[in-house]
């Protein structure tokens, strides 16, 4: 290289190395190693899943063609004509034909765009992944993708800062032939580039400094059907309720400042991505949604289907949060009514709460809409975790990401938001039961309960709030509290006799498998 290397320090992360100018002209965030490691883990799993889905599709086509060839040979002309028309339909309207085979709740299994483009030459050969990093800075992420993930054919790294693009191009050359052959850097506005390259990339990575909201509309258009969108948001003060009006203007949702605010941030981001996708008859399927450090990160697959898009209101809810206690309730936006083989889409029933909280008598704040469907695909989470453990030496942040994935693998997938045991006890001014005792009481009452990766003290449960408060009333009877003013939320709650008699006997399932094996789930930040 022509320039003097004495002006640079070499930073190595994973298998990639970058040259960092001593003047630090280009932004490099070393704490984002967690983010990059997790993205590589998801991308590796995406490559293998995509291959499985492709092989399943080819197998299905082989079987269907075998059945067609086994028909009565007495009508060869008719058969040939029908096969020809079927092929014509597939070419002219392949997208709609695929969607007719897919149920509303089940996304198509593989990207149709790569299939169409590759079938002409190699009869269904799966092309290598084409990846876009919309905001690349030094290019470290793109270089790691190219050097560490097998199955990637091309990585396009964009930035609208000239110094960043020059640094990225320098780093591409510095990383040798593999990087030079796979990674290309461009000076461009990411929004314009994505809009002018619709349905072109198998994976699009958005990792902006701040809010990704201005990039979402073009990002959901540039992903192929069945492709992956990875998106980071670092404006946590906005997403967690510090500036509700700003959050609404950026994401179309109003946040609440509950203990669950970081999970709500994830669900607001997912709802916003879904909203942008819907404008183009597309919808998302979340694979993994993570809150770490100072940001949230979501991994979603993007599909096109006008019929499946109708299910979006079923996946969104408003949140009613009591201002006096920790009771919260969800109001779904939509519902369906099935009759015979037809399905009608109707507005959700409401209101789900009275004007005053039935537990403590205070008013409700209303937030949302948020994504209330599952935010993880547990099959994917299991596969990602297994892959990470099998090559732990290749992840600089292995301890952190394996702990997060372990905790996520044990979360209840169908329970939005969570309760804080310490908050419940704070409302009642009582001593706190251990998490194991509280979990046991919920399980003994016939409900499910789990932790959450967002907070070590958070508990997800499908038990309604009246059951939760009954358990706490029974706890307080055995552990009395000092008298409070009668108008306090805790006094109002404790004044009622419990309907449910809680059983605090230790339940077998009160500890998760990871807890029982003493696997680290919340390692301290370095």
């Amino acid at each position: 290289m022509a320039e003097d290397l004495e002006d640079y320090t070499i930073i190595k992360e994973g298998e990639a190395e970058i040259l960092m100018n001593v003047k630090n002209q280009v932004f490099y965030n070393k704490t984002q190693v967690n983010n990059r490691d997790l993205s590589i883990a998801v991308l590796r799993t995406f490559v293998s899943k995509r291959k499985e889905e492709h092989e399943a599709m080819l197998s299905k086509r082989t079987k269907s063609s075998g059945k067609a060839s086994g028909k009565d040979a007495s009508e060869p002309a008719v058969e040939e004509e029908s096969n020809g028309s079927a092929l014509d339909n597939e070419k002219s309207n392949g997208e709609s034909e695929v969607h007719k085979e897919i149920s509303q709740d089940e996304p198509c299994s593989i990207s149709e765009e790569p299939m169409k483009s590759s079938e002409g030459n190699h009869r269904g050969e799966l092309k290598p992944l084409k990846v876009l990093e919309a905001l690349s800075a030094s290019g470290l992420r793109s270089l790691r993708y190219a050097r560490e993930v097998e199955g990637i054919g091309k990585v396009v790294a964009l930035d609208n800062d000239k110094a960043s693009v020059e640094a990225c191009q320098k780093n591409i050359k510095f990383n040798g032939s593999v990087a030079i052959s796979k990674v290309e850097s461009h000076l461009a506005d990411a929004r314009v580039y994505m809009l002018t390259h619709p349905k072109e990339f198998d994976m699009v990575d958005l990792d902006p400094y701040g809010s990704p909201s201005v990039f979402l509309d073009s990002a959901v258009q540039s992903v192929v059907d069945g492709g992956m969108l990875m998106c980071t948001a670092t404006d946590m003060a906005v997403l967690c309720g510090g500036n509700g009006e700003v959050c609404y203007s950026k994401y179309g949702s109003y946040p609440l400042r509950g203990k669950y605010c970081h999970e709500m941030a994830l669900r607001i981001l997912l709802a916003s991505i879904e909203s942008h996708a819907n404008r183009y008859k597309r919808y998302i399927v979340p694979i993994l949604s993570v809150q770490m450090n100072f940001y949230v990160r979501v991994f979603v697959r993007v599909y096109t289907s006008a019929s499946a898009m109708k299910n979006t209101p079923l996946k969104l809810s408003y949140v009613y949060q009591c201002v006096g206690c920790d009771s919260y309730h969800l109001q779904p936006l939509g519902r369906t009514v099935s009759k015979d083989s037809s399905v009608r889409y109707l507005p959700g029933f409401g209101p789900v709460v009275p004007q005053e909280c039935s537990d403590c008598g205070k008013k409700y704040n209303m937030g949302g809409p948020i994504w209330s469907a599952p935010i993880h695909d547990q099959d994917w989470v299991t596969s990602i975790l297994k892959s990470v453990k099998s090559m732990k030496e290749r992840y600089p942040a292995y301890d952190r990401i394996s702990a997060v994935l372990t905790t996520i693998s044990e979360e209840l997938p169908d329970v939005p938001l969570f309760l804080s045991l310490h908050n419940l006890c704070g409302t009642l001014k009582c001593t706190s039961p251990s998490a194991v005792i509280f979990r046991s009481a919920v399980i003994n009452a016939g409900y499910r309960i789990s932790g959450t990766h967002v907070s070590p003290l958070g508990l997800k449960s499908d038990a309604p709030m009246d059951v939760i408060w009954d358990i706490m009333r029974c706890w307080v009877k055995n552990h009395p509290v000092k008298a409070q003013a009668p108008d306090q939320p805790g006094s109002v709650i404790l004044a009622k006799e419990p309907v449910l008699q809680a059983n605090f006997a230790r339940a077998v399932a009160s500890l998760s498998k990871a807890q029982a094996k003493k696997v680290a789930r919340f390692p301290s930040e370095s």
Side-chain angles (χ1 to χ4, degrees):
M1 297 182 67
E3 294 170 89
D4 190 353
L5 288 177
E6 290 180 3
D7 294 336
Y8 297 89
T9 57
I10 298 174
I11 296 174
K12 180 174 175 61
E13 185 180 296
E15 294 179 23
E17 294 180 328
I18 62 169
L19 296 168
M20 183 57 62
N21 195 303
V22 290
K23 297 177 183 177
N24 200 23
Q25 294 172 328
V26 179
F27 181 68
Y28 166 68
N29 190 344
K30 63 180 180 181
T31 61
Q32 286 282 60
V33 62
N34 297 333
N35 187 317
R36 290 185 282 268
D37 268 12
L38 192 61
S39 301
I40 287 169
V42 174
L43 197 48
R44 281 178 173 144
T45 303
F46 178 50
V47 170
S48 61
K49 292 274 187 184
R50 181 172 172 265
K51 185 178 180 181
E52 290 173 12
E53 292 168 359
H54 180 76
E55 288 171 353
M57 177 176 285
L58 292 181
S59 175
K60 184 178 178 183
R61 288 185 176 182
T62 304
K63 287 179 182 177
S64 60
S65 62
K67 288 179 182 177
S69 61
K71 286 182 180 179
D72 189 357
S74 60
E75 298 177 359
V78 176
E79 185 180 349
E80 187 177 346
E81 184 181 344
S82 64
N83 284 342
S85 63
L87 287 171
D88 290 340
N89 284 339
E90 188 177 337
K91 289 175 184 174
S92 64
N93 197 18
E95 219 171 54
S96 61
E97 288 299 313
V98 169
H99 293 137
K100 285 179 183 177
E101 298 176 7
I102 300 164
S103 70
Q104 291 171 345
D105 295 324
E106 184 180 336
C108 59
S109 58
I110 191 68
S111 165
E112 289 301 306
E113 294 298 324
M115 282 292 296
K116 291 175 186 174
S117 60
S118 59
E119 267 189 300
N121 298 328
H122 301 289
R123 193 64 190 157
E125 181 184 338
L126 191 62
K127 283 190 173 182
L129 249 64
K130 190 174 182 181
V131 174
L132 173 69
E133 187 189 359
L135 305 138
S136 62
S138 64
L140 175 59
R141 188 184 296 263
S142 292
L143 292 167
R144 289 196 65 189
Y145 287 163
R147 295 194 61 169
E148 297 181 39
V149 183
E150 294 181 12
I152 286 184
K154 182 180 179 183
V155 182
V156 177
L158 304 178
D159 210 293
N160 64 353
D161 177 63
K162 190 175 180 181
S164 295
V165 174
E166 289 173 355
C168 185
Q169 290 172 345
K170 200 181 272 92
N171 290 326
I172 291 170
K173 292 177 183 176
F174 188 68
N175 277 267
S177 58
V178 173
I180 292 170
S181 65
K182 289 186 177 182
V183 186
E184 57 185 58
S185 178
H186 299 288
L187 178 66
D189 185 318
R191 294 168 294 181
V192 176
Y193 191 93
M194 290 187 288
L195 279 173
T196 52
H197 294 76
K199 291 189 178 181
E200 184 171 317
F201 295 96
D202 299 288
M203 195 279 278
V204 172
D205 194 321
L206 288 178
D207 191 6
Y209 183 77
S211 172
S213 59
V214 296
F215 301 101
L216 295 179
D217 199 79
S218 48
V220 295
Q221 297 180 67
S222 64
V223 185
V224 301
D225 286 344
M228 178 86 72
L229 172 62
M230 301 181 178
C231 181
T232 304
T234 61
D235 54 336
M236 296 304 288
V238 170
L239 283 165
C240 290
N243 300 93
E245 66 283 0
V246 176
C247 184
Y248 188 83
S249 68
K250 288 184 175 182
Y251 299 98
S253 183
Y254 210 95
L256 296 174
R257 302 189 70 176
K259 280 291 182 182
Y260 50 64
C261 64
H262 291 97
E263 182 179 326
M264 192 171 190
L266 282 168
R267 293 180 179 277
I268 287 173
L269 178 57
L270 288 170
S272 181
I273 297 172
E274 174 81 348
S275 174
H276 285 282
N278 286 171
R279 294 164 200 174
Y280 307 101
K281 297 182 180 178
R282 311 193 90 184
Y283 67 101
I284 64 169
V285 177
I287 297 304
L288 180 67
S289 307
V290 181
Q291 186 272 318
M292 283 197 297
N293 303 94
F294 52 87
Y295 61 88
V296 289
R297 175 86 161 159
V298 297
F299 304 83
V300 302
R301 297 187 74 178
V302 182
Y303 298 96
T304 304
S305 171
S307 60
M309 191 185 70
K310 294 178 182 177
N311 287 319
T312 292
L314 310 178
K315 305 171 188 174
L316 302 175
S317 297
Y318 286 100
V319 184
Y320 290 91
Q321 175 63 61
C322 176
V323 300
C325 66
D326 295 282
S327 298
Y328 69 86
H329 305 271
L330 298 181
Q331 166 69 69
L333 263 67
R335 61 188 171 92
T336 56
V337 176
S338 300
K339 186 177 181 182
D340 299 328
S341 59
S342 64
V343 178
R344 290 183 63 203
Y345 291 83
L346 300 171
F349 281 130
V352 292
V353 292
Q355 283 288 310
E356 296 178 345
C357 176
S358 56
D359 296 307
C360 73
K362 300 293 183 181
K363 296 285 187 182
Y364 285 100
N365 281 332
M366 189 179 81
I370 65 168
W371 181 272
S372 52
I375 61 175
H376 316 292
D377 183 316
Q378 290 296 350
D379 178 54
W380 273 73
V381 173
T382 303
S383 299
I384 296 166
L385 183 57
K386 184 178 179 182
S387 171
V388 167
K389 287 181 176 179
S390 69
M391 51 179 75
K392 58 190 295 184
E393 68 285 346
R394 297 182 67 183
Y395 293 99
Y398 170 78
D399 291 341
R400 178 73 171 130
I401 65 169
S402 62
V404 168
L405 289 168
T406 298
T407 314
I408 288 173
S409 70
E410 297 179 340
E411 281 186 16
L412 288 176
D414 54 347
V415 177
L417 308 181
F418 59 86
L419 294 164
S420 167
L421 184 55
H422 285 196
N423 261 35
L424 295 174
C425 296
T427 300
L428 301 181
K429 304 290 191 293
C430 68
T431 58
S432 176
S434 70
V436 172
I437 290 175
F438 185 79
R439 283 171 176 246
S440 297
V442 172
I443 293 168
N444 291 333
Y447 298 95
R448 297 174 297 148
I449 190 167
S450 77
T452 170
H453 81 279
V454 173
S455 169
L457 303 174
L459 293 170
K460 285 179 170 288
S461 178
D462 59 351
M465 285 309 304
D466 55 351
V467 170
I468 297 295
W469 286 123
D470 274 355
I471 290 172
M472 293 309 298
R473 290 184 186 107
C474 293
W475 172 259
V476 170
K477 281 192 173 184
N478 297 327
H479 303 80
V481 299
K482 292 181 181 178
Q484 304 174 46
D487 60 338
Q488 290 294 308
S491 301
V492 177
I493 291 169
L494 292 175
K496 301 173 185 175
E497 280 297 314
V499 177
L500 170 79
Q501 294 304 314
N503 176 8
F504 293 102
R506 175 76 173 265
V508 176
S510 59
L511 280 180
S512 68
K513 291 180 181 178
Q515 284 176 301
K517 294 178 181 178
K518 296 186 178 180
V519 175
R521 295 171 303 121
F522 295 94
S524 58
E525 295 293 339
S526 56

